Every structure is written in structure tokens, then in C-alpha cells.
Amino acid sequence: MHNEGLGSWLIRRLEKSGPKVAVIHGDDALTYRQLHERSARLAGALASAGVRPRDRVALLGENSPAFLETLFAVGMVGAVLVPLNTRLAVPEIRYQLEDSGAKLLIHDETLTGLAEPASRELPDLLRWAVGGSTSGGTPALDSVIAAADPWTEDVPVSLDDLAVILYTSGTTGRPKGACLTHGNFTWNCFNVLVDYDLSVDEVSLMISPMFHVASLGMGVLPALLKGATLVLESKFDPARVLRLIEKHRVTWLSGVPTTFQMLCEHPDWETRDISSLRQLTCGGSAVPMRVLEAYENRGLAFTANYGMTETSPGATTLPAARSRDKAGSSGLPHFFTDVRVVDAGGHRAQPGATGEILISGPNVIAQYWNRPDAAGSFEGQWFHSGDLGYLDEDGYLFVADRIKDMIISGGENIYPAEIEAVIQELPEVAAVAVVGVVDEKWGEVPHAVVVPRDGAQLTAEKVQEHLAGRLARYKVPKTLSLVPDMPRTASGKIRKNVLREQATR
């Protein structure tokens, strides 16, 4: 085949796994053959609508088969997918549509309230709706697929060609569009399949949104490349997730510490049958010890990972067998990826010395979309992550914090993640974030924001008492807020820029 990219995966998988169930969503199931047939018809519809190689097709939707059909159909015609975060506001969606130059927007009908006003000032942008009937001039995707002829052409697509533009969360300034190639995703999948013990009979439950790179790159694509089965959930609900694990005999679950914590703290945790689980992968931050122990008590262990949009997203992984003796570590570099830590002068840091984390490999992007001003993030083969960390004597990576999140107080460098880990030891704490706030004397001081667990009796005084003697005095937060919830991105990461703004009001 001339198409070496994602668009060729379904036809390559067809002969091997045609009748096998590829996707389960609610009460619906699609085999690999059905997924291919619908994707091929959608590709034909895209071509008929004027979508050509390298054109951009935007997608605004929750986890569903339509997301996968669009992904593979776009790849078949050699175009580029632009997944949009469903939690964005109208101006943010409009900016990404304009910046990417999208020719078509496919969106869930339930998200018309976002899609319609965001595209109103883009008269040349076509719109198709998922899950609705054709009305108001917006064609329904099912009708579009049913009326189209299947795509049969073999468009030349190389691994170096652009596959997806994923916009970063934009916690400071305008978000940047990371240009992920077919090769970036393919090599990331190789890393997952080499470093994780995945099998063809895997049943993977996707509880994180596929418009986020962690779900798409670390879960969805490796599973489909392997010929496994995906169970897609549009929204995260702990009780429902536990039921689905039992119902579908789920073997592989991935998420962030918050989702795993919510599962093990749910009243159904002890009564649901989760004995089918054998793979737990967690990213975003270290798993709190009490959560680790809750899963260990049920015979389970975590594989931790570290990465970002720009690395498709895997950079390092910590095997489950090392979750105890290397607690807090993000692990070793993935098989086809290299990681180093450098000091302020750009020289390789000594073991244990904190510096910026640099990443290299075929899974790392080479550029941002329309952002020549961001070229400084790339230096030869190395991508500057903007994260701080260190490598221990065995080469295991420990991530300290984002460079922008580091607090400089009276000349001392303070890493919020260190403080957060100690506060998280308290069983009454559901979530915590530490940010720097302006101080007339010290320049900056730490401020802690804590979410108590439901029903817990937690006070600021109790947190301060817990920190006393465990941290240097200059690291102990000078102020603390107890809040009912945290502002988060779609991937579950705490939006510290919002917390900083709230703390300074």
C-alpha cells in the first residue's frame, strides 16, 4: 500500500480481525469489518465534499465510534484531523478552527450550542452533526455515511506526513497546535506494545476523552493496532465504570490518579467483580500511596507513565514491579525514546541534580502549527519539555514540576509537587495543589489549595501540623484554602493558572 499512515490500519487489520468486536459503546458494538466499512464510506463522503490531502477536518465530540470513524476516514484521504476539547468556550473553539484552517467541522449534535456560534463567522466551514437528524441545513453524519460510496483509493501517505493537530491546554497565552505525524503515533504505539504486556484479547475501557493525547496515543491506537477491543465511555462515572469492568470483563484500564482514587473510594468498590483487570496505567502525576495500597489489596498494581502532547504522548514508563521501590518515579525512557536532564547551562546534569527534562525520539513532534515563535522548544534532536526533574543513579526519572510552576522564595527553589505529595498523605485529602503567590518580603511563598474528602473533618491547622517537621519551614505553605473542587483540564490536570488568579484576588 502507498498509505503508510493511520488510514491504512483498518484495511490491514481486516483480514486478521474482521469479525472481531473492535468497539463497544453503550448497547452498540462494531466489528473491525463494520468499523472499516463505515470509515471507508465516510472517507468517500469527505472526498465528495472537497476534502483533499493535507486539508484539516475538525472534530468536536465525546468518546464514540464516530470519533474513530472520523479519525480513520480522514487518514484514508490523507487529510489532517483536528480534535477539539469539548470543555472549551466558544471563542476558544473559534480560534482553533481559524488557526488550523479547518475545512469541515464534525460535531456531536448535543454540542451544537458550541459548534454553531463558534463557526458562525466562518462561512466557508462545512458542518456535519453526529447523533441527530438532518435539520437546519446541517447534515446528519449517519445520513452522510449511508449515502456515500466507499473510498477505495490508495492515497500516498508517509510516516512523516501530518496526521493530527492537537492543541495544548493553553494555560498561558494562546494554545499551540502540536503537529503529530503518522510516524509519531506509530512509534508511540511501538513503545507501548514493547513496554506494556498487551495481548490481542485485551478489553480496554477508555474513560478519558479521546480528544486528549493520553487517551488517543496510549490507549486507543495501541489497542486497535494490536487488534484488541475498546469499550468507550463518553463521561466518567465511578459506579458505571465499575459495572462495565464486571460486565465486559475489562482487562486494561488507564486514567489519572483522580479517576483511580474515585473508583476505589466508591461504595461499590468492594462488591464489584474486577478480577478481569490485569493492566492499570496511570499518568499525570504520582499515584498517592493510599490509592496504591487500595489496588494492591485487590491484587493489582500500576504502570506509571510520563509524557505530553508533544511526545505522542509517552516519554517514560515505570513498570508495576517497581511501583514500590521506585515510588514517585516516572520510570525509564520508553524503548525507542531517549530522555536526559540538563542544567541551566545546557549540560547534562549529574544523577540526583534537578534540571530541565529533554526528550528525543521518533514519537516526538518536530514543530507547532503556524508557530515559528515556538521554535525554541526544539534544539537539534531534543525537545525542551519545560518540566523539571532528575535522574537517579539507576536512570529512573523523577519529575519535580513545571519550570513555570517552580516557586522562588527568598532565593530558594521550591517545587510544589514535593509539598503536594506530603499533604496527599493525609487520608482526609481528596486533592491538593500548591501555587506561588506574591509576598512583599520573600518575593513568592507557597499557597496550598486542598479539597477535603466527602465527610472528612479537615482544617488548615491539621494540614499545617502534618507538614511541620516533614518539610523545611520555607516550603510549608504560608496560607491554605479549603475548596469543594478544583478547576481541571479535560485530561484531569489541575489548572494552576486559575488557582493563582483566585489566590491573588
Side-chain angles (χ1 to χ4, degrees):
M1 293 181 66
H2 297 296
N3 191 330
E4 300 174 349
L6 304 183
S8 70
W9 283 21
L10 291 182
I11 196 166
R12 294 179 189 274
R13 176 51 63 188
L14 201 55
E15 292 301 318
K16 300 175 183 292
S17 310
K20 183 179 180 181
V21 173
V23 185
I24 298 171
H25 182 242
D27 296 328
D28 299 324
L30 285 178
T31 65
Y32 274 92
R33 178 167 286 110
Q34 291 169 323
L35 181 59
H36 172 261
E37 289 171 354
R38 286 181 59 85
S39 299
R41 285 187 179 277
L42 180 52
L46 291 174
S48 296
V51 175
R52 299 291 181 259
R54 292 175 291 281
D55 283 345
R56 275 75 64 202
V57 175
L59 177 62
L60 180 67
E62 306 292 354
N63 289 358
S64 73
F67 194 111
L68 297 176
E69 292 159 4
T70 304
L71 169 69
F72 289 114
V74 166
M76 288 177 185
V77 300
V80 180
L81 185 68
V82 185
L84 301 173
N85 188 330
T86 61
R87 298 182 182 179
L88 297 180
V90 167
E92 295 171 306
I93 293 173
R94 182 185 300 119
Y95 167 76
Q96 294 181 17
L97 290 171
E98 289 180 318
D99 185 67
S100 65
K103 195 167 191 174
L104 167 68
L105 170 61
I106 298 175
H107 64 88
D108 289 356
E109 185 192 34
T110 55
L111 296 173
T112 301
L114 286 175
E116 193 279 327
S119 58
R120 191 176 297 154
E121 297 175 12
L122 304 172
D124 295 330
L125 180 70
L126 302 173
R127 279 199 295 123
W128 295 344
V130 179
S133 58
T134 300
S135 62
T138 303
L141 189 68
D142 277 345
S143 300
V144 169
I145 291 174
D149 293 324
W151 179 259
T152 57
E153 293 187 38
D154 182 16
V155 175
V157 176
S158 77
L159 293 180
D160 292 330
D161 286 333
L162 185 56
V164 172
I165 298 174
L166 272 171
Y167 282 84
T168 57
S169 57
T171 53
T172 56
R174 289 288 199 182
K176 301 190 292 289
C179 294
L180 292 101
T181 66
H182 293 273
N184 291 151
F185 278 123
T186 300
W187 282 100
N188 183 80
C189 285
F190 291 164
N191 276 338
V192 173
L193 296 180
V194 169
D195 288 332
Y196 298 163
D197 188 20
L198 304 184
S199 86
V200 71
D201 65 351
E202 219 72 63
V203 179
S204 178
L205 175 55
M206 302 311 305
I207 56 178
S208 300
M210 289 191 287
F211 55 73
H212 178 64
V213 71
S215 179
L216 185 62
M218 299 301 287
V220 171
L221 291 177
L224 294 176
L225 179 61
K226 190 70 177 178
T229 298
L230 290 173
V231 180
L232 302 182
E233 273 294 279
S234 301
K235 303 289 185 181
F236 174 69
D237 175 72
R240 179 171 169 80
V241 167
L242 290 169
R243 289 197 303 272
L244 289 175
I245 293 172
E246 182 176 282
K247 177 181 179 180
H248 296 297
R249 305 299 295 162
V250 171
T251 63
W252 181 15
L253 185 65
S254 58
V256 296
T258 303
T259 56
F260 285 111
Q261 179 177 328
M262 291 174 70
L263 287 174
C264 71
E265 291 179 351
H266 193 274
D268 293 346
W269 170 251
E270 295 294 343
T271 57
R272 285 294 176 185
D273 180 6
I274 61 170
S275 60
S276 58
L277 285 175
R278 60 190 185 214
Q279 301 272 355
L280 298 178
T281 56
C282 186
S285 61
V287 180
M289 189 57 66
R290 69 172 184 274
V291 175
L292 187 70
E293 290 173 348
Y295 284 83
E296 287 179 343
N297 289 338
R298 302 205 59 179
L300 296 166
F302 289 93
T303 298
N305 50 62
Y306 160 75
M308 58 204 68
T309 302
E310 292 86 348
T311 59
S312 311
T316 67
T317 182
L318 179 69
R322 307 304 300 270
S323 60
R324 280 286 182 172
D325 68 312
K326 292 294 183 180
S329 171
S330 297
L332 297 169
H334 274 297
F335 193 84
F336 292 107
T337 304
D338 296 309
V339 172
R340 67 169 48 167
V341 174
V342 298
D343 60 23
H347 306 294
R348 189 175 298 211
Q350 294 297 313
T354 298
E356 185 180 8
I357 301 167
L358 274 54
I359 307 163
S360 175
N363 59 308
V364 180
I365 69 167
Q367 61 183 331
Y368 292 105
W369 181 258
N370 288 337
R371 290 294 296 269
D373 58 305
S377 298
F378 306 92
E379 184 180 348
Q381 71 181 94
W382 295 100
F383 170 72
H384 286 252
S385 71
D387 287 338
L388 292 167
Y390 67 90
L391 297 170
D392 70 8
E393 294 286 350
D394 300 318
Y396 282 76
L397 178 68
F398 288 77
V399 180
D401 241 311
R402 294 288 296 169
I403 288 176
K404 62 181 178 62
D405 288 337
M406 185 178 71
I407 301 166
I408 303 177
S409 183
E412 296 282 0
N413 293 342
I414 300 174
Y415 304 115
E418 180 185 9
I419 305 170
E420 291 161 359
V422 178
I423 296 176
Q424 193 75 56
E425 293 173 357
L426 285 167
E428 297 91 347
V429 173
V432 58
V434 174
V435 297
V437 295
V438 175
D439 182 83
E440 290 185 2
K441 182 177 182 180
W442 303 109
E444 280 186 306
V445 293
H447 170 75
V449 182
V450 178
V451 178
R453 292 177 64 186
D454 290 342
Q457 299 299 314
L458 185 66
T459 63
E461 290 75 19
K462 184 169 184 177
V463 176
Q464 296 281 2
E465 290 172 6
H466 175 73
L467 293 175
R470 287 179 169 85
L471 292 172
R473 290 182 63 183
Y474 69 87
K475 296 180 183 179
V476 175
K478 300 297 182 289
T479 53
L480 185 145
S481 301
L482 297 175
V483 298
D485 201 3
M486 294 283 192
R488 295 180 182 271
T489 67
S491 62
K493 293 181 180 179
I494 295 171
R495 297 178 67 89
K496 289 193 172 182
N497 61 312
V498 175
L499 295 180
R500 290 190 196 93
E501 293 171 3
Q502 293 173 345
T504 55
R505 287 174 189 168

